[in-house]
Amino acid sequence: MRRETQVPAWFAEGLMFVGNWEPLAFRRRAGLAAVDEEAIYTREHRPETLRRLRALGVNLIITHFHKGFGLAAEREEIAGAAALVRDARALGLHVGAYLRVDAIAYETYLDEVPQAVDWFQRDAAGGIATYDGQEFRRLVCPQHPEYVQRVEDLVRLAAGDVGFDLIHLDGFSWGTATPCRCQACAAGFRAFLQARYPDAASRVARFGHPRVEAMEIPLAAPGREHVVRDPLRQEWLDFRSARFEDIHRRLAAAAKACSPAVAVTFNTMVPIEENGRERCGVSLPAMAPRNDAFWTESHNDPRLDGDGRVVSRVREYKYAEALDNVCFSYVKGPGRDQVRRSFAEVLAFNGGHAGMIGSPLLDEGPFAGDLASWAAFYRRWRSTLYAGTESAAQVAVLRHPRTLMLDSGEPYRSAHLLEQLLIEAGIPFRLICADGPLRLPPDLRLLVLPGVSCLEEPEAAVITAFVRRGGGLLLTGDTSLRDSWYRLRADYLLRELLGPDVPCPRPGMRSFQDPIFGQVDERARRVPGLTFHHAGDGRVVYAVRVDGPAGARAGERYPWRSPADAERWLAAARWAAGPLDVEVRAPHGVLVEVRRLRAPAEGYRVHLVNLVPSPWRDGIVVSWRSPAVPRHPGGAFEAPPRSRDPGAAAGPWRVRLYSPDGEETASGTDLTPVPTAGGAGETAWEVVVPVLDTYTVVSVDAAVLAAG
């Protein structure tokens, strides 16, 4: 992804932060205040609290600025936030300003801005949309320019006059999947259609007739798993996300105009499990080039359930890294072990940032000791283990934005199952999810296309060239069979890679595309299971569908387990990819991430997170090949069997273990890599990790670097 703004330089410190963004007025009005809430609030803002945070290694606090009560109602608390900024800056702490975008507390806001009564989102019956469970907060329609101007003024006040280092836009979405049908939306949507289809010919081609001025906003959002075929609903989704992209561009420009060092972040749903453009009306990939971080508030706390399900936020972290953003998440849990697993996961997968570890009153929490020791580990070893690294994954999954907007069913389910296969097998992978031209990493070995039906010609050309040059491809379902309007093509765009044996599904009755007439689909009969073949110098695996595991919970959309026949799927992925530069053999319930040092340095950082309550001993093997080994030559490659060569030299590597878990896994422990011999020209090494409690990093450094 190509950025349009620079990431603030102070992000290079590595972010570990706390937050107290709810003002006292909100805590009371929402019924969330404790008996001694005012005393708690006062302690959060004291200079001695900030000094303790700085001593722990915290470098950012996100605090309250504007919750939606209005400037007049929040004036006193805004003054308190400004004082906190001054005190924090004196200690070297950065401070972020919290701004709520989607809702206002109308009971006080209308006193200050009476015309805001016309800004609320309306349903088809004219009713006012409210924040779920808090009727005193009404959702505002972003189509009203006066409201957007007031939000921009707040951004300038926070970033300019008060001097915050970060602007956090919470509720940065339409707030509901139900279409707003206020007059401003109706007029704005028609103007959008008229601008996009300016003449009768383009309107007829899109809608069958030219009368866009007669079109109305679609009614209530459809169910969770569906296909958006109606061209008007497709345009409505584009309209909503385009509006928020414009607002984000405007607010980011306002913040950066105050100082390029101001960070811009927002909170909306990370579209890993649901259709974000339909549910929230925003496109994260479209806003990411001007954004620095976004939140995940999913319930996917890392854990191994009793029935073997591996639950994690791995996808959310990878989604952020794919968009060159940081993922803000909570280090939390109901018990000590869960807190440690949560901390371990964010350190392993969040690109060197530690996330939010609690409120400013960290030392008053039940897990203060663990948080302090893990924070100390992070700060002590950040430059050694986290700084200057990048993903070493040679497998990528394409989360195609257009496909995922138009089909909320099979592409999400297939992506989840195949990503889960990689997670459980300990195979690091990237996500590719950016808008714009498709760009593949230069060292990619395997590209996974899970039901990516709406590929366009330039994307298909990039993928075809990748496979011709020796890349591996695993694709499923209708990949490349439809265009960006979800129209059925006469043939797959990737026909060259699929080969001649995969038939195209066709309408059951010619001239009728309606699903009620059914489809003639012979793929399951003619190409059952997984098919394997060569294309150019590359290897291709295709399957009509990805079946979920047996015994999935009733009504469960995502089983958090690998697909049925997982071993065959895994063998297919390994066949298509060929050997990877770094491979990890680990038991079920161990999460694996591999980072490499950025050039010119040479080495790896292998992160291991144990979701099992007890430690693993001698059960994990990390192996790597010298970067000098030739790249996977595709179809001509046959992996030679590896055998130990006891007489080989110790090699040019220094391997060390680092862990915050305790004395048994003391940081800085040296391991001796064992050389393994394979085919001609291959040099490989491996180490056995003696113990994994909760979190261990295996550092592999070239001898020259290690000596330096």
Side-chain angles (χ1 to χ4, degrees), residues 495-554:
R495 170 57 71 190
E496 176 186 333
L497 305 183
L498 284 167
D501 296 331
V502 179
C504 282
R506 302 258 56 90
M509 187 179 295
R510 200 61 194 163
S511 303
F512 292 91
Q513 301 288 341
D514 194 304
I516 66 170
F517 291 98
Q519 281 190 331
V520 177
D521 189 348
E522 296 185 304
R523 291 178 295 182
R525 181 180 64 83
R526 290 178 53 182
V527 285
L530 293 162
T531 64
F532 302 74
H533 69 278
H534 297 89
D537 287 334
R539 298 177 173 192
V540 179
V541 178
Y542 174 77
V544 177
R545 62 174 283 116
V546 188
D547 291 318
R553 298 175 183 177

Short mmCIF file of all heavy atoms in Angstrom, two decimals, residues 495-554:
data_model
loop_
_atom_site.label_atom_id
_atom_site.label_comp_id
_atom_site.label_asym_id
_atom_site.label_seq_id
_atom_site.Cartn_x
_atom_site.Cartn_y
_atom_site.Cartn_z
N ARG A 495 -8.50 -18.63 -16.36
CA ARG A 495 -8.62 -19.91 -17.06
C ARG A 495 -7.26 -20.52 -17.35
O ARG A 495 -7.07 -21.74 -17.22
CB ARG A 495 -9.41 -19.72 -18.36
CG ARG A 495 -9.40 -20.93 -19.30
CD ARG A 495 -9.94 -22.18 -18.63
NE ARG A 495 -11.39 -22.09 -18.43
CZ ARG A 495 -12.07 -22.96 -17.69
NH1 ARG A 495 -11.43 -23.96 -17.07
NH2 ARG A 495 -13.39 -22.84 -17.55
N GLU A 496 -6.30 -19.73 -17.76
CA GLU A 496 -4.97 -20.25 -18.07
C GLU A 496 -4.38 -21.01 -16.88
O GLU A 496 -3.70 -22.03 -17.06
CB GLU A 496 -4.04 -19.11 -18.47
CG GLU A 496 -2.60 -19.55 -18.72
CD GLU A 496 -1.66 -18.38 -18.97
OE1 GLU A 496 -2.12 -17.33 -19.46
OE2 GLU A 496 -0.44 -18.51 -18.68
N LEU A 497 -4.64 -20.52 -15.67
CA LEU A 497 -4.08 -21.15 -14.48
C LEU A 497 -4.93 -22.33 -14.01
O LEU A 497 -4.40 -23.29 -13.45
CB LEU A 497 -3.96 -20.12 -13.35
CG LEU A 497 -3.16 -18.86 -13.70
CD1 LEU A 497 -3.06 -17.96 -12.48
CD2 LEU A 497 -1.76 -19.22 -14.20
N LEU A 498 -6.22 -22.26 -14.22
CA LEU A 498 -7.10 -23.34 -13.80
C LEU A 498 -6.97 -24.57 -14.68
O LEU A 498 -7.22 -25.70 -14.23
CB LEU A 498 -8.56 -22.87 -13.81
CG LEU A 498 -9.00 -21.97 -12.65
CD1 LEU A 498 -10.34 -21.33 -12.95
CD2 LEU A 498 -9.06 -22.76 -11.36
N GLY A 499 -6.60 -24.36 -15.94
CA GLY A 499 -6.57 -25.48 -16.87
C GLY A 499 -7.96 -25.73 -17.45
O GLY A 499 -8.96 -25.12 -17.06
N PRO A 500 -8.08 -26.66 -18.37
CA PRO A 500 -9.34 -26.85 -19.11
C PRO A 500 -10.40 -27.66 -18.39
O PRO A 500 -11.54 -27.73 -18.85
CB PRO A 500 -8.87 -27.58 -20.37
CG PRO A 500 -7.67 -28.37 -19.91
CD PRO A 500 -6.99 -27.52 -18.89
N ASP A 501 -10.06 -28.30 -17.27
CA ASP A 501 -10.98 -29.27 -16.69
C ASP A 501 -12.01 -28.68 -15.73
O ASP A 501 -12.95 -29.37 -15.33
CB ASP A 501 -10.18 -30.35 -15.94
CG ASP A 501 -9.30 -31.15 -16.88
OD1 ASP A 501 -9.67 -31.27 -18.07
OD2 ASP A 501 -8.25 -31.63 -16.44
N VAL A 502 -11.83 -27.43 -15.32
CA VAL A 502 -12.77 -26.82 -14.37
C VAL A 502 -13.88 -26.14 -15.16
O VAL A 502 -13.66 -25.13 -15.82
CB VAL A 502 -12.06 -25.79 -13.47
CG1 VAL A 502 -13.08 -25.15 -12.51
CG2 VAL A 502 -10.94 -26.45 -12.68
N PRO A 503 -15.12 -26.66 -15.11
CA PRO A 503 -16.20 -26.06 -15.90
C PRO A 503 -16.74 -24.79 -15.25
O PRO A 503 -16.58 -24.57 -14.05
CB PRO A 503 -17.26 -27.16 -15.91
CG PRO A 503 -17.03 -27.89 -14.63
CD PRO A 503 -15.55 -27.85 -14.38
N CYS A 504 -17.40 -23.98 -16.05
CA CYS A 504 -18.07 -22.78 -15.55
C CYS A 504 -19.52 -23.12 -15.19
O CYS A 504 -20.20 -23.77 -15.97
CB CYS A 504 -18.08 -21.68 -16.60
SG CYS A 504 -16.54 -20.80 -16.77
N PRO A 505 -19.98 -22.66 -14.04
CA PRO A 505 -21.42 -22.80 -13.78
C PRO A 505 -22.21 -21.88 -14.70
O PRO A 505 -21.75 -20.79 -15.06
CB PRO A 505 -21.56 -22.35 -12.32
CG PRO A 505 -20.36 -21.51 -12.05
CD PRO A 505 -19.27 -22.03 -12.93
N ARG A 506 -23.38 -22.34 -15.13
CA ARG A 506 -24.20 -21.58 -16.07
C ARG A 506 -25.63 -21.49 -15.55
O ARG A 506 -26.06 -22.34 -14.76
CB ARG A 506 -24.22 -22.28 -17.44
CG ARG A 506 -22.83 -22.45 -18.06
CD ARG A 506 -22.54 -21.43 -19.14
NE ARG A 506 -22.67 -20.05 -18.78
CZ ARG A 506 -21.67 -19.31 -18.28
NH1 ARG A 506 -20.49 -19.83 -18.06
NH2 ARG A 506 -21.86 -18.04 -18.02
N PRO A 507 -26.36 -20.44 -15.95
CA PRO A 507 -27.76 -20.33 -15.51
C PRO A 507 -28.57 -21.55 -15.94
O PRO A 507 -28.35 -22.13 -17.01
CB PRO A 507 -28.25 -19.07 -16.23
CG PRO A 507 -27.01 -18.30 -16.56
CD PRO A 507 -25.94 -19.31 -16.79
N GLY A 508 -29.50 -21.95 -15.09
CA GLY A 508 -30.33 -23.11 -15.40
C GLY A 508 -31.24 -22.89 -16.59
O GLY A 508 -31.66 -23.83 -17.25
N MET A 509 -31.56 -21.64 -16.86
CA MET A 509 -32.40 -21.31 -18.01
C MET A 509 -31.80 -20.08 -18.68
O MET A 509 -31.68 -19.02 -18.07
CB MET A 509 -33.84 -21.03 -17.58
CG MET A 509 -34.81 -20.84 -18.73
SD MET A 509 -36.50 -20.53 -18.16
CE MET A 509 -36.87 -22.09 -17.36
N ARG A 510 -31.38 -20.23 -19.90
CA ARG A 510 -30.70 -19.15 -20.61
C ARG A 510 -31.63 -17.93 -20.69
O ARG A 510 -32.84 -18.05 -20.82
CB ARG A 510 -30.32 -19.60 -22.02
CG ARG A 510 -29.23 -18.75 -22.65
CD ARG A 510 -27.94 -18.80 -21.83
NE ARG A 510 -27.00 -17.75 -22.24
CZ ARG A 510 -25.98 -17.36 -21.51
NH1 ARG A 510 -25.75 -17.94 -20.36
NH2 ARG A 510 -25.17 -16.42 -21.92
N SER A 511 -31.03 -16.76 -20.59
CA SER A 511 -31.72 -15.46 -20.58
C SER A 511 -32.32 -15.13 -19.22
O SER A 511 -32.90 -14.06 -19.05
CB SER A 511 -32.82 -15.37 -21.65
OG SER A 511 -32.29 -15.59 -22.94
N PHE A 512 -32.20 -16.05 -18.24
CA PHE A 512 -32.68 -15.78 -16.90
C PHE A 512 -31.51 -15.99 -15.92
O PHE A 512 -31.09 -17.12 -15.69
CB PHE A 512 -33.84 -16.71 -16.53
CG PHE A 512 -35.09 -16.45 -17.32
CD1 PHE A 512 -35.33 -17.14 -18.50
CD2 PHE A 512 -36.02 -15.52 -16.89
CE1 PHE A 512 -36.48 -16.90 -19.23
CE2 PHE A 512 -37.17 -15.28 -17.61
CZ PHE A 512 -37.41 -15.96 -18.79
N GLN A 513 -31.01 -14.88 -15.36
CA GLN A 513 -29.91 -14.98 -14.40
C GLN A 513 -30.40 -15.11 -12.97
O GLN A 513 -29.62 -15.31 -12.06
CB GLN A 513 -29.01 -13.74 -14.52
CG GLN A 513 -28.41 -13.52 -15.90
CD GLN A 513 -27.31 -14.51 -16.21
OE1 GLN A 513 -26.76 -15.14 -15.32
NE2 GLN A 513 -26.98 -14.66 -17.48
N ASP A 514 -31.71 -14.96 -12.76
CA ASP A 514 -32.25 -14.98 -11.41
C ASP A 514 -31.93 -16.32 -10.73
O ASP A 514 -32.12 -17.38 -11.32
CB ASP A 514 -33.77 -14.77 -11.45
CG ASP A 514 -34.33 -14.43 -10.08
OD1 ASP A 514 -34.11 -15.23 -9.14
OD2 ASP A 514 -34.97 -13.37 -9.94
N PRO A 515 -31.46 -16.29 -9.46
CA PRO A 515 -31.10 -17.53 -8.76
C PRO A 515 -32.25 -18.52 -8.64
O PRO A 515 -32.01 -19.72 -8.44
CB PRO A 515 -30.64 -17.05 -7.39
CG PRO A 515 -30.21 -15.63 -7.60
CD PRO A 515 -31.11 -15.09 -8.67
N ILE A 516 -33.52 -18.05 -8.76
CA ILE A 516 -34.62 -18.99 -8.58
C ILE A 516 -34.64 -20.05 -9.68
O ILE A 516 -35.24 -21.12 -9.53
CB ILE A 516 -35.99 -18.27 -8.53
CG1 ILE A 516 -36.32 -17.61 -9.88
CG2 ILE A 516 -36.04 -17.27 -7.41
CD1 ILE A 516 -37.73 -17.09 -9.96
N PHE A 517 -33.98 -19.77 -10.81
CA PHE A 517 -33.92 -20.75 -11.89
C PHE A 517 -32.76 -21.72 -11.71
O PHE A 517 -32.60 -22.64 -12.51
CB PHE A 517 -33.82 -20.04 -13.24
CG PHE A 517 -35.07 -19.30 -13.62
CD1 PHE A 517 -35.17 -17.94 -13.40
CD2 PHE A 517 -36.16 -19.97 -14.17
CE1 PHE A 517 -36.33 -17.25 -13.74
CE2 PHE A 517 -37.32 -19.29 -14.51
CZ PHE A 517 -37.41 -17.92 -14.28
N GLY A 518 -31.97 -21.50 -10.68
CA GLY A 518 -30.88 -22.41 -10.38
C GLY A 518 -29.71 -22.27 -11.35
O GLY A 518 -29.72 -21.48 -12.29
N GLN A 519 -28.67 -23.04 -11.07
CA GLN A 519 -27.48 -23.07 -11.92
C GLN A 519 -27.15 -24.50 -12.28
O GLN A 519 -27.40 -25.43 -11.51
CB GLN A 519 -26.28 -22.44 -11.20
CG GLN A 519 -26.25 -20.93 -11.20
CD GLN A 519 -24.92 -20.42 -10.68
OE1 GLN A 519 -24.26 -21.08 -9.88
NE2 GLN A 519 -24.50 -19.26 -11.15
N VAL A 520 -26.58 -24.64 -13.46
CA VAL A 520 -25.99 -25.91 -13.84
C VAL A 520 -24.52 -25.83 -13.46
O VAL A 520 -23.74 -25.11 -14.08
CB VAL A 520 -26.15 -26.17 -15.36
CG1 VAL A 520 -25.46 -27.47 -15.73
CG2 VAL A 520 -27.62 -26.19 -15.74
N ASP A 521 -24.16 -26.55 -12.41
CA ASP A 521 -22.80 -26.47 -11.88
C ASP A 521 -22.26 -27.89 -11.73
O ASP A 521 -22.64 -28.63 -10.81
CB ASP A 521 -22.80 -25.75 -10.53
CG ASP A 521 -21.39 -25.45 -10.04
OD1 ASP A 521 -20.44 -25.98 -10.62
OD2 ASP A 521 -21.25 -24.68 -9.07
N GLU A 522 -21.41 -28.28 -12.65
CA GLU A 522 -20.87 -29.63 -12.66
C GLU A 522 -19.48 -29.72 -12.03
O GLU A 522 -18.82 -30.75 -12.13
CB GLU A 522 -20.80 -30.14 -14.10
CG GLU A 522 -22.15 -30.27 -14.78
CD GLU A 522 -22.03 -30.90 -16.16
OE1 GLU A 522 -21.27 -30.33 -16.98
OE2 GLU A 522 -22.67 -31.93 -16.38
N ARG A 523 -19.05 -28.65 -11.37
CA ARG A 523 -17.68 -28.64 -10.85
C ARG A 523 -17.45 -29.72 -9.80
O ARG A 523 -16.41 -30.39 -9.80
CB ARG A 523 -17.36 -27.25 -10.29
CG ARG A 523 -17.24 -26.18 -11.35
CD ARG A 523 -16.96 -24.82 -10.74
NE ARG A 523 -18.08 -24.35 -9.92
CZ ARG A 523 -18.10 -23.17 -9.31
NH1 ARG A 523 -17.05 -22.35 -9.41
NH2 ARG A 523 -19.15 -22.79 -8.60
N ALA A 524 -18.39 -29.87 -8.89
CA ALA A 524 -18.20 -30.86 -7.82
C ALA A 524 -18.08 -32.28 -8.39
O ALA A 524 -17.39 -33.13 -7.82
CB ALA A 524 -19.34 -30.78 -6.82
N ARG A 525 -18.75 -32.56 -9.50
CA ARG A 525 -18.68 -33.89 -10.12
C ARG A 525 -17.43 -34.06 -10.95
O ARG A 525 -16.76 -35.10 -10.90
CB ARG A 525 -19.92 -34.12 -10.99
CG ARG A 525 -19.96 -35.49 -11.67
CD ARG A 525 -21.20 -35.67 -12.51
NE ARG A 525 -21.24 -34.73 -13.63
CZ ARG A 525 -20.61 -34.92 -14.79
NH1 ARG A 525 -19.88 -36.01 -14.98
NH2 ARG A 525 -20.71 -34.04 -15.76
N ARG A 526 -17.07 -33.04 -11.73
CA ARG A 526 -15.95 -33.17 -12.66
C ARG A 526 -14.59 -32.91 -12.02
O ARG A 526 -13.57 -33.42 -12.48
CB ARG A 526 -16.17 -32.23 -13.85
CG ARG A 526 -17.33 -32.70 -14.73
CD ARG A 526 -17.60 -31.76 -15.88
NE ARG A 526 -16.40 -31.48 -16.68
CZ ARG A 526 -16.39 -30.64 -17.71
NH1 ARG A 526 -17.52 -30.02 -18.06
NH2 ARG A 526 -15.29 -30.42 -18.39
N VAL A 527 -14.55 -32.06 -10.97
CA VAL A 527 -13.27 -31.81 -10.28
C VAL A 527 -13.50 -31.94 -8.77
O VAL A 527 -13.42 -30.97 -8.02
CB VAL A 527 -12.70 -30.42 -10.64
CG1 VAL A 527 -12.12 -30.41 -12.03
CG2 VAL A 527 -13.78 -29.33 -10.52
N PRO A 528 -13.78 -33.14 -8.29
CA PRO A 528 -14.06 -33.32 -6.86
C PRO A 528 -12.80 -33.14 -6.03
O PRO A 528 -11.68 -33.41 -6.47
CB PRO A 528 -14.57 -34.76 -6.79
CG PRO A 528 -13.91 -35.45 -7.95
CD PRO A 528 -13.85 -34.41 -9.04
N GLY A 529 -12.99 -32.65 -4.82
CA GLY A 529 -11.85 -32.50 -3.91
C GLY A 529 -10.86 -31.47 -4.40
O GLY A 529 -11.22 -30.46 -5.00
N LEU A 530 -9.59 -31.73 -4.15
CA LEU A 530 -8.51 -30.84 -4.54
C LEU A 530 -7.89 -31.31 -5.84
O LEU A 530 -7.63 -32.50 -6.02
CB LEU A 530 -7.44 -30.80 -3.45
CG LEU A 530 -7.85 -30.15 -2.12
CD1 LEU A 530 -6.90 -30.55 -1.02
CD2 LEU A 530 -7.87 -28.64 -2.26
N THR A 531 -7.63 -30.40 -6.76
CA THR A 531 -6.96 -30.74 -8.01
C THR A 531 -5.60 -30.06 -8.04
O THR A 531 -5.45 -28.92 -7.57
CB THR A 531 -7.79 -30.30 -9.22
OG1 THR A 531 -7.90 -28.87 -9.23
CG2 THR A 531 -9.18 -30.91 -9.18
N PHE A 532 -4.62 -30.73 -8.62
CA PHE A 532 -3.24 -30.25 -8.64
C PHE A 532 -2.75 -30.23 -10.09
O PHE A 532 -2.94 -31.21 -10.82
CB PHE A 532 -2.32 -31.19 -7.85
CG PHE A 532 -2.70 -31.38 -6.41
CD1 PHE A 532 -3.80 -32.18 -6.06
CD2 PHE A 532 -1.97 -30.79 -5.40
CE1 PHE A 532 -4.15 -32.37 -4.74
CE2 PHE A 532 -2.31 -30.98 -4.06
CZ PHE A 532 -3.40 -31.76 -3.74
N HIS A 533 -2.10 -29.15 -10.49
CA HIS A 533 -1.47 -29.15 -11.80
C HIS A 533 -0.44 -28.03 -11.88
O HIS A 533 -0.37 -27.15 -11.00
CB HIS A 533 -2.50 -29.03 -12.93
CG HIS A 533 -3.17 -27.70 -13.00
ND1 HIS A 533 -4.22 -27.35 -12.20
CD2 HIS A 533 -2.93 -26.62 -13.80
CE1 HIS A 533 -4.61 -26.13 -12.48
NE2 HIS A 533 -3.84 -25.66 -13.44
N HIS A 534 0.36 -28.04 -12.93
CA HIS A 534 1.37 -27.02 -13.16
C HIS A 534 0.85 -26.02 -14.18
O HIS A 534 0.08 -26.35 -15.08
CB HIS A 534 2.67 -27.65 -13.68
CG HIS A 534 3.32 -28.58 -12.71
ND1 HIS A 534 3.03 -29.92 -12.65
CD2 HIS A 534 4.24 -28.34 -11.75
CE1 HIS A 534 3.76 -30.48 -11.70
NE2 HIS A 534 4.50 -29.55 -11.14
N ALA A 535 1.28 -24.78 -14.01
CA ALA A 535 0.97 -23.71 -14.97
C ALA A 535 2.22 -22.87 -15.12
O ALA A 535 2.68 -22.26 -14.16
CB ALA A 535 -0.20 -22.86 -14.47
N GLY A 536 2.79 -22.85 -16.32
CA GLY A 536 4.09 -22.20 -16.49
C GLY A 536 5.10 -22.88 -15.59
O GLY A 536 5.20 -24.11 -15.54
N ASP A 537 5.85 -22.09 -14.83
CA ASP A 537 6.80 -22.64 -13.87
C ASP A 537 6.19 -22.80 -12.47
O ASP A 537 6.90 -23.15 -11.53
CB ASP A 537 8.04 -21.74 -13.78
CG ASP A 537 8.93 -21.85 -15.00
OD1 ASP A 537 8.89 -22.92 -15.65
OD2 ASP A 537 9.64 -20.88 -15.31
N GLY A 538 4.91 -22.49 -12.33
CA GLY A 538 4.28 -22.53 -11.02
C GLY A 538 3.37 -23.72 -10.83
O GLY A 538 3.17 -24.55 -11.72
N ARG A 539 2.79 -23.78 -9.64
CA ARG A 539 1.91 -24.88 -9.26
C ARG A 539 0.57 -24.31 -8.80
O ARG A 539 0.52 -23.29 -8.10
CB ARG A 539 2.52 -25.69 -8.13
CG ARG A 539 3.84 -26.34 -8.50
CD ARG A 539 4.41 -27.08 -7.30
NE ARG A 539 5.59 -27.84 -7.66
CZ ARG A 539 6.16 -28.75 -6.87
NH1 ARG A 539 5.65 -28.99 -5.68
NH2 ARG A 539 7.23 -29.41 -7.27
N VAL A 540 -0.51 -24.99 -9.16
CA VAL A 540 -1.85 -24.51 -8.87
C VAL A 540 -2.67 -25.61 -8.21
O VAL A 540 -2.65 -26.76 -8.67
CB VAL A 540 -2.56 -24.03 -10.16
CG1 VAL A 540 -3.97 -23.55 -9.85
CG2 VAL A 540 -1.76 -22.94 -10.85
N VAL A 541 -3.38 -25.23 -7.15
CA VAL A 541 -4.31 -26.12 -6.47
C VAL A 541 -5.68 -25.46 -6.51
O VAL A 541 -5.81 -24.27 -6.19
CB VAL A 541 -3.90 -26.40 -5.02
CG1 VAL A 541 -4.93 -27.28 -4.33
CG2 VAL A 541 -2.52 -27.03 -4.95
N TYR A 542 -6.72 -26.22 -6.89
CA TYR A 542 -8.07 -25.67 -6.95
C TYR A 542 -9.04 -26.60 -6.25
O TYR A 542 -8.90 -27.83 -6.30
CB TYR A 542 -8.53 -25.49 -8.41
CG TYR A 542 -9.99 -25.06 -8.52
CD1 TYR A 542 -10.37 -23.74 -8.26
CD2 TYR A 542 -10.97 -25.98 -8.84
CE1 TYR A 542 -11.70 -23.35 -8.33
CE2 TYR A 542 -12.32 -25.61 -8.92
CZ TYR A 542 -12.67 -24.29 -8.66
OH TYR A 542 -13.98 -23.91 -8.72
N ALA A 543 -10.03 -25.99 -5.58
CA ALA A 543 -11.14 -26.74 -4.99
C ALA A 543 -12.41 -25.95 -5.17
O ALA A 543 -12.41 -24.71 -5.08
CB ALA A 543 -10.90 -27.02 -3.51
N VAL A 544 -13.52 -26.65 -5.42
CA VAL A 544 -14.80 -25.98 -5.63
C VAL A 544 -15.24 -25.27 -4.36
O VAL A 544 -15.77 -24.15 -4.41
CB VAL A 544 -15.87 -26.99 -6.07
CG1 VAL A 544 -17.24 -26.33 -6.21
CG2 VAL A 544 -15.46 -27.66 -7.37
N ARG A 545 -15.03 -25.87 -3.20
CA ARG A 545 -15.41 -25.23 -1.94
C ARG A 545 -14.51 -25.73 -0.82
O ARG A 545 -13.82 -26.75 -0.95
CB ARG A 545 -16.88 -25.47 -1.60
CG ARG A 545 -17.26 -26.91 -1.37
CD ARG A 545 -18.72 -27.02 -0.90
NE ARG A 545 -18.87 -26.67 0.51
CZ ARG A 545 -19.57 -25.64 0.96
NH1 ARG A 545 -20.16 -24.82 0.11
NH2 ARG A 545 -19.68 -25.41 2.25
N VAL A 546 -14.55 -24.99 0.28
CA VAL A 546 -13.82 -25.36 1.48
C VAL A 546 -14.85 -25.79 2.52
O VAL A 546 -15.65 -24.97 2.98
CB VAL A 546 -12.99 -24.18 2.03
CG1 VAL A 546 -12.08 -24.65 3.16
CG2 VAL A 546 -12.18 -23.52 0.92
N ASP A 547 -14.85 -27.05 2.87
CA ASP A 547 -15.82 -27.56 3.83
C ASP A 547 -15.32 -27.34 5.25
O ASP A 547 -14.13 -27.53 5.56
CB ASP A 547 -16.06 -29.05 3.61
CG ASP A 547 -16.81 -29.31 2.31
OD1 ASP A 547 -17.76 -28.56 2.02
OD2 ASP A 547 -16.43 -30.26 1.58
N GLY A 548 -16.23 -26.93 6.13
CA GLY A 548 -15.89 -26.76 7.53
C GLY A 548 -15.68 -28.08 8.22
O GLY A 548 -16.02 -29.15 7.70
N PRO A 549 -15.12 -28.05 9.42
CA PRO A 549 -14.83 -29.30 10.15
C PRO A 549 -16.11 -29.98 10.61
O PRO A 549 -17.14 -29.34 10.83
CB PRO A 549 -13.99 -28.82 11.33
CG PRO A 549 -14.46 -27.41 11.57
CD PRO A 549 -14.76 -26.86 10.21
N ALA A 550 -16.03 -31.26 10.77
CA ALA A 550 -17.15 -32.01 11.33
C ALA A 550 -17.32 -31.61 12.80
O ALA A 550 -16.36 -31.30 13.50
CB ALA A 550 -16.90 -33.51 11.21
N GLY A 551 -18.55 -31.61 13.25
CA GLY A 551 -18.81 -31.32 14.66
C GLY A 551 -18.79 -29.86 15.01
O GLY A 551 -18.66 -29.50 16.19
N ALA A 552 -18.92 -28.96 14.01
CA ALA A 552 -18.97 -27.53 14.31
C ALA A 552 -20.22 -27.23 15.12
O ALA A 552 -21.25 -27.90 15.00
CB ALA A 552 -18.96 -26.72 13.01
N ARG A 553 -20.15 -26.21 15.95
CA ARG A 553 -21.28 -25.84 16.79
C ARG A 553 -22.45 -25.36 15.94
O ARG A 553 -22.27 -24.68 14.94
CB ARG A 553 -20.86 -24.75 17.77
CG ARG A 553 -19.75 -25.19 18.72
CD ARG A 553 -19.28 -24.03 19.58
NE ARG A 553 -18.18 -24.42 20.46
CZ ARG A 553 -17.54 -23.59 21.27
NH1 ARG A 553 -17.89 -22.31 21.32
NH2 ARG A 553 -16.54 -24.01 22.02
N ALA A 554 -23.65 -25.70 16.36
CA ALA A 554 -24.85 -25.34 15.61
C ALA A 554 -24.94 -23.82 15.45
O ALA A 554 -24.79 -23.07 16.43
CB ALA A 554 -26.08 -25.88 16.32
#
